[in-house]
Structures are given as C-alpha cells and as structure tokens.
Amino acid sequence: MSYKNRKVNKSKVILVAVIGLIIVGVANKTWAYVDEQRHIKAEQQRIEEEKRKAEEEKKKYMVGVSHEGKKYSYDAKLVYDKLSKYDYSNDGKKIVFLTFDDGTSTTVTPQILKTLKDEDVKATFFLTGENIERGGEKAKELIKQEFNEGHAIANHSYSHDYKLLYPNRNLDLEAFKADFAKTDKIIKDVLGKYFSTRVLRCPGGHMSWRGMDELDTYLEENNKVSIDWNALNADAEGKRKNAQELADYAIKTAQGKEMVVLLMHDTYGKEETAKALPTIIKYFKDNGYEFKTLV
Ligand SMILES: [Zn+2]
C-alpha cells in the first residue's frame, strides 16, 4: 500500500469516526429527548390518574345512596335551584320526591319501608340523630335497610332544636354545623366511613328563619344542598288528621306541579302517615309521575 493510499485510508477512518461520533451524539440526544418525553407523559398520566381517583373517591363520599339506588337519584342542587325560584316546572316530565323527616322511628319507619317496597318506589329519608339514638340498634338496622333498598339518606340535624339552631329566630351557624356534624357521624357509624350525604333539610324549613344567607354561603362552599318542600301531607301542622285527610292534603298541595317535593314524617306517632302512603303513591303513579331521590 502506498503512502498516499494509507493517508486516504487514515482520512476515511477519521471521517467515519467523526460521523460515528456525530451519530452517537445525535442518537444520545434523541434518546434523551424521547426518554424525557416519556417521563413527561408518564407524569401527566400519573397526575390524570390521581385526579380520576380523587374524583371517584369524592363521588363515593358524596353519593347519599347505595350503588343500587343510584338509578333513582336526582341532583339535589337542580331541585334546590328550582324551589328557590318557586319554579315547579320540569320540561313536561313529572317527578316526585317522597321525603320523610325526623326518623328513624322503630314504629312508623318499618311500615313506610314496607309500603315503599310493595309499591316499588324510592324515597329520601331526612334523619335526626337524636331519634336514631332513641331507637338504638333497631333504628340503625332500619337505616341500613333504607340504604340497601335504594332510598336516599339525608341529614335533618341531631337535636331538631329551634332554640339551639336559630336563637331568636336567627341562625347560629356554628351551632348548626356542630349539630348536623353529630348526625353525619352517627350515619357514618351505621353505614360505614365511605358514606356521606351532601343533602340536608333545615328543621322548620330553610324558609322559616333569618340570617340564612350565611348558611347558603357555607353550603355553597362545601358542596352541600339544603332542600325544603313544595307540597306536604300536613302530618305535623294544624289539627291531627286521619289517613284520608293526609292523602287529600298531599294531593291538593301537589296539584299542577311537575316537580313535587312532598314533606312527610316517619317519626313516632305518625302512624296515619304510613296508612296514607299507598293512596298518595297511587295518585302520583296514576298521574304519570316518576319517583326520584335527592342526592
Ligand atoms: Zn323536622
């Protein structure tokens, strides 16, 4: 091999080496880039996954009904918005929310549950902690039954004491929050730590008290909803009524409303309410209403 050829060969080797280095360099850079992108993507996926899990968890905590009961549930916030505007229309679709306050009682609640099961309709129970404690283990079993049979569970305070919650008819927000928290805890003890409800009903009705703007701000900020009613069987007002009178009252006050939130009570002494329930349900069925629960 001549000197010249050797020189050319040497140049070729250097050239190849340089190209090789460039290729390795570029490849390295490319690889680093791809790797970085992969990391970014993985990180984004991880964040997305965490967000999704948090949402799932939140839903679980906010649900208010069992898995089975979900198909009957209705967004309480939409109902709140309607009620607060006295707008009881619903795009031609009739819906009724049967609501029972002041339970659980060991005397009336079982009768109510039996009728609901026989008629295959769902309701919302606004529980008071004091009555749950009064009913002991039996009351707790009834709450489990309510939940397992697809009814919605909501909070109606612990004490139901107007003087405590609204001294001089003015809301005491701290007392209100503490009283409702007690019942939340009792319900959680019965239904498990994953249970929670965002729906509540103010004893005496939100409409009845002063200083409630403060409560509305608190509820809004905490994704909670207060639900009053736009129809009632009047089992807690005026003179004592028999089953027929209660049914008549409920039907009269529901008339002409596409969206009905019917107030009733399943506490002690409300046996006539239990007796009136089949007639009330029949009215809503005959008039094409769908039965929904508040969550
Ligand atoms: Zn009440």
Side-chain angles (χ1 to χ4, degrees):
M1 204 182 279
S2 71
Y3 170 77
K4 199 181 165 192
N5 272 348
R6 232 184 289 155
K7 204 175 170 187
V8 168
N9 274 346
K10 208 175 167 188
S11 310
K12 268 188 190 162
V13 168
I14 290 168
L15 189 65
V16 167
V18 168
I19 290 169
L21 279 174
I22 290 169
I23 289 171
V24 168
V26 168
N28 258 336
K29 273 219 172 108
T30 309
W31 186 81
Y33 177 76
V34 168
D35 196 48
E36 196 190 329
Q37 288 304 309
R38 212 168 45 204
H39 269 105
I40 291 171
K41 210 173 163 201
E43 183 62 11
Q44 276 169 347
Q45 274 171 348
R46 195 186 59 77
I47 292 167
E48 284 301 314
E49 181 64 12
E50 252 172 35
K51 256 197 228 161
R52 195 189 58 76
K53 273 190 188 157
E55 280 303 311
E56 283 290 302
E57 202 65 7
K58 211 168 126 190
K59 265 189 225 155
K60 208 156 61 179
Y61 276 95
M62 285 297 170
V63 89
V65 284
S66 64
H67 207 69
E68 157 71 11
K70 263 187 194 163
K71 56 177 174 283
Y72 310 101
S73 67
Y74 197 91
D75 186 347
K77 185 72 170 63
L78 296 177
V79 177
Y80 168 82
D81 290 340
K82 286 267 178 185
L83 288 185
S84 60
K85 285 182 278 186
Y86 304 98
D87 172 9
Y88 310 137
S89 66
N90 192 42
D91 300 325
K93 211 170 165 293
K94 290 175 172 179
I95 50 172
V96 59
F97 302 91
L98 303 176
T99 68
F100 295 95
D101 286 15
D102 302 359
T104 304
S105 74
T106 56
T107 51
V108 177
T109 307
Q111 297 175 39
I112 301 277
L113 280 172
K114 186 179 180 308
T115 300
L116 294 173
K117 196 172 196 174
D118 291 348
E119 297 290 337
D120 192 24
V121 297
K122 308 298 172 189
T124 306
F125 289 89
F126 288 88
L127 307 180
T128 52
E130 220 168 59
N131 274 340
I132 299 168
E133 284 183 347
R134 183 174 162 192
E137 280 312 306
K138 203 172 165 198
K140 289 176 185 171
E141 284 309 312
L142 287 164
I143 295 172
K144 283 183 199 161
Q145 191 185 336
E146 287 167 356
F147 182 74
N148 291 334
E149 290 179 355
H151 306 297
I153 307 292
N155 191 337
H156 189 45
S157 85
Y158 175 83
S159 66
H160 207 283
D161 182 350
Y162 296 161
K163 286 200 182 83
L164 173 86
L165 302 167
Y166 328 103
N168 300 315
R169 306 192 67 82
N170 282 302
L171 172 77
D172 179 341
L173 183 60
E174 288 314 309
F176 187 100
K177 274 156 58 179
D179 207 55
F180 275 75
K182 269 163 99 172
T183 296
D184 270 337
K185 189 183 176 306
I186 292 170
I187 299 172
K188 248 187 228 297
D189 286 346
V190 176
L191 295 177
K193 65 172 178 172
Y194 288 115
F195 178 83
S196 179
T197 176
R198 65 171 185 154
V199 181
L200 60 93
R201 178 171 279 159
C202 302
H206 184 290
M207 57 179 91
S208 309
W209 314 102
R210 289 192 294 253
M212 298 300 265
D213 289 352
E214 205 188 347
L215 177 66
D216 293 339
T217 306
Y218 163 76
L219 297 178
E220 180 80 38
E221 283 171 2
N222 289 277
N223 188 28
K224 288 175 183 281
V225 187
S226 164
I227 297 286
D228 276 358
W229 56 89
N230 64 355
L232 68 163
N233 69 352
D235 60 357
E237 10 242 306
K239 70 167 185 67
R240 260 184 103 79
K241 297 168 191 65
N242 64 32
Q244 189 56 52
E245 289 167 325
L246 293 173
D248 290 346
Y249 206 104
I251 291 163
K252 186 183 78 189
T253 52
Q255 217 116 58
K257 294 168 187 165
E258 280 177 350
M259 179 184 276
V260 176
V261 182
L262 179 63
L263 170 70
M264 296 174 280
H265 295 80
D266 67 325
T267 192
Y268 296 95
K270 304 295 180 190
E271 278 76 10
E272 290 300 307
T273 292
K275 275 189 219 156
L277 190 57
T279 312
I280 291 171
I281 290 173
K282 186 176 184 308
Y283 168 80
F284 288 112
K285 279 186 175 173
D286 289 350
N287 285 278
Y289 282 83
E290 211 179 318
F291 295 77
K292 292 281 183 186
T293 63
L294 295 157
V295 302

